[in-house]
Amino acid sequence: MYLSDEEPEQIHTKAPSWVLTFADLMTLLMCFFVLLLAYSEMDAKKFAQVANSMQGSLGVGPMLNQGDAQIPPPIPPEENTELQPEQDQAAKALLEKLNQTLAQTQADAQQLAEQLHQQMERGELEIETDGQNIIVRLREQGSFESGSADLNPQARATLATIETTLYNKQGRIRVLGHTDDIPIKTARFRSNWELSAVRAVAVAEALMASGQLASTRFEVTGFADIHPLAANSNATDRARNRRVEIIISQDPAANLSEQEKLLLQRTPNTPQLKPQPIRPKGKAALPEHIF
């Protein structure tokens, strides 16, 4: 049989035109998934180190954000950890300024301790400073009946004294309720969360009763048993954990300039920034378990 010259070419069929488009699409999808894989395996720690190095070199802001996570400020290189003379002078001035502010907090706490020394001696409350925070802890035995959120008259008198002191002090007032780890379920309280919250509200309302303290200064929270002061291993520890804390909170850096705040990040904390138990002056030593 005779075949023409065109017939061999007709034997090889061409691919449809849509195949090229499909191949391009598959290539793009492959690149897309490769990129996803590369990002999913990124080492966040190495990324933070690189970002911090660039941050220090370029002198950009103190914090970088990556989604919801925050990357801390860059750590100065080893060879630059020592402050220059002018920076050293600024650091000393900053620490002196902080010490004066924190000393005032200590004095305010000491004044409150003098006014409440009888309650402290009876073990009904304790006072502590933590940085520029004054913490007054009302223990259950001097404030509430077991399983109750009703303040007794003695506790109301104590809160009236605290209210007078708070009127002359600036800062936010946080009232935090705490319980031990024994579950409660009564007609009034379904859980320790409810008991701790209602007790905190009762204390806050007593502090606001006369109208001297603005309600906008208050923040009230119930924590149940998730922030114990001591292990809930015996009756004494559980009694210590059943408390309401009144925290007069002021930010030590509130009156600092931006430059001073940056310097504060590189300056070691002073001893006053650590919790300091407060005892009335000239009074008999208080029981050690109170603090």
Side-chain angles (χ1 to χ4, degrees):
M1 181 178 179
Y2 177 79
L3 297 176
S4 64
D5 294 336
E6 292 79 16
E7 286 179 345
E9 296 179 358
Q10 296 176 357
I11 295 175
H12 301 284
T13 58
K14 295 182 178 179
S17 58
W18 61 266
V19 173
L20 294 177
T21 304
F22 180 77
D24 289 342
L25 177 62
M26 292 298 101
T27 303
L28 291 173
L29 283 175
M30 182 185 70
C31 294
F32 174 72
F33 285 113
V34 167
L35 288 173
L36 284 181
L37 179 63
Y39 280 113
S40 66
E41 293 184 352
M42 180 180 65
D43 191 328
K45 184 176 294 186
K46 290 184 178 179
F47 176 80
Q49 292 174 350
V50 173
N52 288 340
S53 299
M54 294 180 64
Q55 198 175 28
S57 301
L58 300 176
V60 294
M63 183 69 72
L64 294 176
N65 291 326
Q66 181 187 0
D68 294 332
Q70 288 188 325
I71 300 172
I75 300 174
E78 291 294 333
E79 62 273 16
N80 295 327
T81 52
E82 293 186 3
L83 297 176
Q84 299 300 321
E86 62 275 8
Q87 292 177 322
D88 186 54
Q89 289 296 114
K92 290 179 179 178
L94 173 60
L95 286 178
E96 183 177 352
K97 187 175 182 179
L98 284 175
N99 285 336
Q100 291 175 353
T101 304
L102 296 172
Q104 183 59 50
T105 300
Q106 290 278 327
D108 292 342
Q110 192 66 56
Q111 177 188 1
L112 188 58
E114 297 295 329
Q115 295 171 342
L116 300 172
H117 69 90
Q118 294 181 352
Q119 291 88 337
M120 294 179 71
E121 289 174 352
R122 292 196 297 263
E124 297 173 4
L125 61 85
E126 56 191 78
I127 299 176
E128 183 179 271
T129 61
D130 186 1
Q132 207 171 347
N133 296 330
I134 300 176
I135 305 172
V136 180
R137 294 192 181 97
L138 302 176
R139 305 181 72 179
E140 180 192 59
Q141 68 182 46
S143 306
F144 303 95
E145 296 296 329
S146 180
S148 170
D150 297 324
L151 285 164
N152 58 41
Q154 186 172 314
R156 291 187 179 277
T158 300
L159 291 172
T161 302
I162 297 174
E163 177 190 10
T164 303
T165 303
L166 295 183
Y167 178 72
N168 299 317
K169 308 301 177 188
Q170 298 298 319
R172 187 162 46 108
I173 303 170
R174 292 181 291 159
V175 184
L176 314 178
H178 303 270
T179 67
D180 58 24
D181 65 343
I182 298 178
I184 184 174
K185 189 172 183 180
T186 65
R188 184 178 179 186
F189 303 113
R190 294 170 293 180
S191 68
N192 283 335
W193 289 100
E194 191 168 354
L195 175 62
S196 62
V198 175
R199 281 183 170 179
V201 169
V203 170
E205 288 181 341
L207 291 172
M208 292 184 283
S210 69
Q212 292 187 85
L213 300 177
S215 59
T216 53
R217 294 180 60 186
F218 282 81
E219 179 182 310
V220 182
T221 312
F223 285 107
D225 63 331
I226 65 173
H227 293 306
L229 286 177
N232 286 291
S233 56
N234 53 62
T236 301
D237 286 349
R238 290 192 180 95
R240 179 167 167 75
N241 291 331
R242 296 192 297 270
R243 69 200 188 277
V244 175
E245 295 179 337
I246 304 168
I247 303 178
I248 304 95
S249 179
Q250 293 178 317
D251 183 5
N255 298 322
L256 300 181
S257 65
E258 291 301 321
Q259 185 176 2
E260 288 175 327
K261 290 178 182 178
L262 290 175
L263 183 58
L264 181 62
Q265 295 178 3
R266 302 182 59 188
T267 305
N269 289 340
T270 60
Q272 290 91 331
L273 291 177
K274 299 178 181 179
Q276 301 287 328
I278 301 298
R279 293 177 172 82
K281 293 181 180 179
K283 306 298 179 183
L286 299 177
E288 286 299 326
H289 72 271
I290 295 179
F291 293 97

